[in-house]
Amino acid sequence: MFKRIIGKFFPGAQQYKVSSARTQKAVPAANMNSSARDDLPIAPHDADFLNYLFGDSELKTHTDPFSDFVSERVEQLLLTPKALLQELPVMPDSVTTLVAELQGDDFNVDALLEVIEREPSMAAEVIKLANSARYRRSERQVTDLKTAFMNMGAQGLIEGVIDAYVKKFTPKNNIYWRQFGDKIWQHSIDTGLYAKALIKSSHAAADQATAYFVGLIRNLGKMIIFQVMVEAFHHVDPNVPPNSMAFKKLINSYEIRLTYMIAKYWQLPDTVLKAIAYQASSRYECTPLALAVLEANYLSELKCLLSSEIIDADEFERRCENNLTTNSALTMADYIKAEILLELS
């Protein structure tokens, strides 16, 4: 994915290769019209989570001309993302049907099942999920969609369709990239599940399916920027890992903006667009859905940081008190903390 675009943005890129000692060879200055990342420090929590995903940057305080060059070229692509959006996998009919049904008051499960039955790959993914520990109800293997639906219920069926499509965006190239893919995918799943649980306890409980959907796609921008960066670094010099501060600033500045652009490109409902916009700034409308996704994402990030021991239990509690606003989110935080501490003991 994105190879053709990267080839256009990095013509003759091999002349910019660097040695293992990271000595720079004639990296040209980028001609940027505008930038959202110049001189923007990364907040401590965001820096911790990016380090969890990608590892510590080799250079924290010094400039890194090679990474800056690649990041600035990728930023040009993000500032004019039309070509990037056109390279995204085609949305299958099952997801289109799902999105349309989410806008109504009543969800038509039969309509979704009929569409999935016409999509062998999607049906296989849903049946596979029905046989997972998350949904399996007996020792008998699930082999058809009707049985899968009986095991998973309407919510599980919706989650299976969404999971199968969004998972296409997770990196799978090699061991390093798969490690990131596994981390960001689990984070996305947790964000979706937490958002669904949080919205359930609000007066907007009918939006559980939408909350899971928005929670899962909330980090799409991060996934795609990472894949573009991987492809760019591979095109320029495959020996350089994309975990520099320049790269992390790029992700931090553009991930939600790109997610929002994708949601608009997919013509998702206004309720979804509003919820995604709120992830970028509190100046946008704070709907119950938007707040549930915001707090769910933060809880999932905290879970990752505590389980990997980047932060301790005291810091976990301090960040919860300073950043979570609803009682349901604080209660969920206590449960997450207790579960992780039990695993670490």
Side-chain angles (χ1 to χ4, degrees):
M1 197 186 302
F2 309 127
K3 288 183 180 180
R4 183 176 60 85
I5 293 176
I6 292 301
K8 289 183 178 179
F9 270 76
F10 292 89
Q14 292 302 315
Q15 65 180 297
Y16 309 131
K17 288 184 69 173
V18 295
S19 70
S20 58
R22 301 185 66 77
T23 53
Q24 188 59 40
K25 294 183 180 179
V27 171
N31 180 23
M32 294 295 298
N33 295 322
S34 61
S35 174
R37 66 186 179 90
D38 288 348
D39 301 321
L40 288 177
I42 302 178
H45 175 84
D46 294 335
D48 285 341
F49 188 65
L50 289 169
N51 287 339
Y52 161 77
L53 290 177
F54 308 113
D56 289 333
S57 303
E58 291 180 25
L59 298 174
K60 292 186 172 65
T61 57
H62 299 88
T63 60
D64 181 2
F66 178 77
S67 294
D68 285 344
F69 163 67
V70 177
S71 296
E72 286 167 354
R73 284 294 181 93
V74 171
E75 187 173 23
Q76 286 180 303
L77 180 58
L78 295 172
L79 287 168
T80 53
K82 183 177 179 180
L84 188 66
L85 295 174
Q86 291 173 342
E87 290 291 313
L88 299 178
V90 175
M91 185 181 287
D93 289 341
S94 54
V95 179
T96 303
T97 299
L98 171 61
V99 171
E101 291 291 342
L102 288 176
Q103 297 180 69
D105 295 330
D106 298 314
F107 188 82
N108 190 336
V109 174
D110 290 334
L112 181 58
L113 281 172
E114 288 177 9
V115 176
I116 297 173
E117 285 175 346
R118 298 196 297 267
E119 299 174 348
S121 62
M122 183 65 74
E125 288 296 325
V126 171
I127 290 171
K128 180 180 176 182
L129 183 62
N131 282 301
S132 69
R134 183 170 158 192
Y135 290 110
R136 193 163 182 174
R137 300 289 183 263
S138 68
E139 291 301 315
R140 294 188 63 182
Q141 286 279 102
V142 175
T143 58
D144 62 276
L145 284 175
K146 290 291 176 64
T147 306
F149 167 62
M150 294 297 292
N151 280 16
M152 301 164 72
Q155 287 288 331
L157 182 65
I158 292 168
E159 291 168 18
V161 170
I162 299 168
D163 289 3
Y165 181 61
V166 177
K167 197 170 185 180
K168 292 181 179 181
F169 295 91
T170 57
K172 302 177 180 67
N173 290 16
N174 59 35
I175 293 175
Y176 180 84
W177 318 133
R178 281 199 302 270
Q179 183 182 27
F180 165 75
D182 290 342
K183 286 179 177 179
I184 196 64
W185 178 243
Q186 187 56 55
H187 168 54
S188 298
I189 288 284
D190 286 343
T191 300
L193 291 172
Y194 294 165
K196 184 176 74 170
L198 292 174
I199 205 78
K200 185 178 181 180
S201 62
S202 75
H203 66 268
D207 291 334
Q208 290 179 63
T210 307
Y212 183 83
F213 178 66
V214 180
L216 194 72
I217 69 170
R218 188 236 179 250
N219 290 285
L220 259 184
K222 194 182 268 102
M223 293 185 197
I224 290 174
I225 294 172
F226 178 78
Q227 292 210 53
V228 171
M229 290 295 288
V230 168
E231 190 61 46
F233 274 80
H234 180 76
H235 191 78
V236 179
D237 187 346
N239 296 315
V240 180
N243 68 344
S244 67
M245 285 302 297
F247 166 53
K248 290 173 181 175
K249 281 187 176 184
L250 190 74
I251 280 211
N252 198 56
S253 300
Y254 282 92
E255 58 160 323
I256 296 300
R257 185 189 303 195
L258 182 56
T259 300
Y260 184 84
M261 289 175 183
I262 294 169
K264 284 198 72 174
Y265 182 74
W266 284 344
Q267 298 181 326
L268 296 182
D270 284 343
T271 53
V272 172
L273 295 177
K274 288 179 181 178
I276 294 172
Y278 187 73
Q279 310 305 300
S281 172
S282 59
R283 73 175 183 268
Y284 295 105
E285 182 181 355
C286 181
T287 64
L289 177 62
L291 183 59
V293 173
L294 183 75
E295 297 199 316
N297 184 73
Y298 193 76
L299 282 167
S300 181
E301 290 177 348
L302 284 175
K303 176 185 176 181
C304 296
L305 297 178
L306 182 59
S307 61
S308 61
E309 301 184 273
I310 292 176
I311 62 174
D312 59 20
D314 290 339
E315 179 63 14
F316 180 97
E317 289 183 9
R318 187 188 70 78
R319 294 189 186 187
C320 287
E321 291 171 1
N322 290 341
N323 294 281
L324 299 177
T325 61
T326 62
N327 290 332
S328 54
L330 290 167
T331 299
M332 185 178 288
D334 288 338
Y335 173 79
I336 291 170
K337 184 187 72 171
E339 186 178 46
I340 294 173
L341 293 180
L342 183 62
E343 291 175 359
L344 293 176
S345 62

